[in-house]
């Protein structure tokens, strides 16, 4: 199923902010109009802009947990949970009422010891 067909719940509901990435000399991450500084810069790979998910999530008050054994990132706030598995295009979303699994066009990956996801994932503007 396509990502568009899902009503995006999850933490991304909270991440449903205006996250803009500008590809110029310097790639910037803007969250609600404010620039977010990160120790790693977004990257462009295979025509996709990938952003570090931890710094964006934490700037919005989400808790991020890395499970090294499962190579999985858990992002949560209140009763909403997002699970990202490294090198997988599937994301598990749980809003406390129902669970969905959605597919993204580019997998979560580790670059410079940070988890990166497609910018489109955090800029999604669908509401539950």
């Amino acid at each position: 199923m396509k990502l568009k067909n899902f009503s995006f719940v999850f933490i991304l509901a909270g991440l449903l902010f205006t996250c803009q990435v500008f590809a110029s000399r310097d790639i910037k991450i803007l969250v609600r109009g404010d620039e977010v500084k990160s120790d790693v810069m977004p990257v462009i790979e295979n025509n996709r802009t990938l952003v570090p998910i931890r710094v964006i999530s934490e700037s919005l008050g989400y808790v991020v947990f890395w499970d090294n054994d499962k190579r999985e990132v858990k992002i949560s706030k209140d009763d909403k949970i997002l699970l990202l598995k490294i090198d997988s295009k599937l994301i598990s979303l749980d809003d406390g009422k129902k669970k969905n699994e959605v597919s993204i066009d580019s997998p979560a990956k580790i670059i410079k010891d940070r988890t990166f996801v497609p910018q489109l994932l955090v800029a999604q503007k669908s509401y539950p």
Side-chain angles (χ1 to χ4, degrees):
M1 294 181 147
K2 293 184 180 179
L3 183 62
K4 292 187 228 182
N5 296 337
F6 283 91
S7 171
F8 235 60
V9 283
F10 134 62
I11 295 169
L12 288 182
L15 292 176
L16 298 176
F17 55 91
T18 306
C19 174
Q20 300 171 344
V21 178
F22 297 100
S24 61
R25 279 179 66 155
D26 295 322
I27 299 175
K28 296 179 181 179
I29 301 172
L30 299 178
V31 176
R32 297 183 180 143
D34 296 322
E35 185 174 352
V36 174
K37 297 290 185 185
S38 176
D39 61 337
V40 292
M41 294 295 296
V43 297
I44 297 175
E45 186 175 279
N46 297 325
N47 295 320
R48 297 284 183 266
T49 301
L50 304 175
V51 295
I53 192 67
R54 178 181 290 274
V55 69
I56 294 170
S57 299
E58 288 179 347
S59 73
L60 293 165
Y62 291 87
V63 176
V64 180
F65 175 76
W66 167 250
D67 185 329
N68 198 48
D69 293 334
K70 293 182 181 179
R71 293 181 46 88
E72 187 175 79
V73 176
K74 178 180 177 180
I75 303 170
S76 63
K77 185 175 184 180
D78 303 324
D79 59 351
K80 296 174 178 74
I81 298 170
L82 167 77
L83 292 175
L84 295 164
K85 191 157 183 80
I86 300 303
D87 297 325
S88 174
K89 291 184 178 184
L90 294 177
I91 297 173
S92 174
L93 307 169
D94 184 348
D95 70 354
K97 297 177 184 172
K98 64 179 179 176
K99 293 181 182 181
N100 286 320
E101 197 168 79
V102 297
S103 180
I104 55 177
D105 65 350
S106 183
K109 64 186 314 177
I110 296 177
I111 302 171
K112 296 182 182 177
D113 295 326
R114 300 291 183 268
T115 301
F116 281 73
V117 297
Q119 178 263 337
L120 182 59
L121 177 67
V122 294
Q124 183 67 34
K125 293 185 180 184
S126 302
Y127 289 89

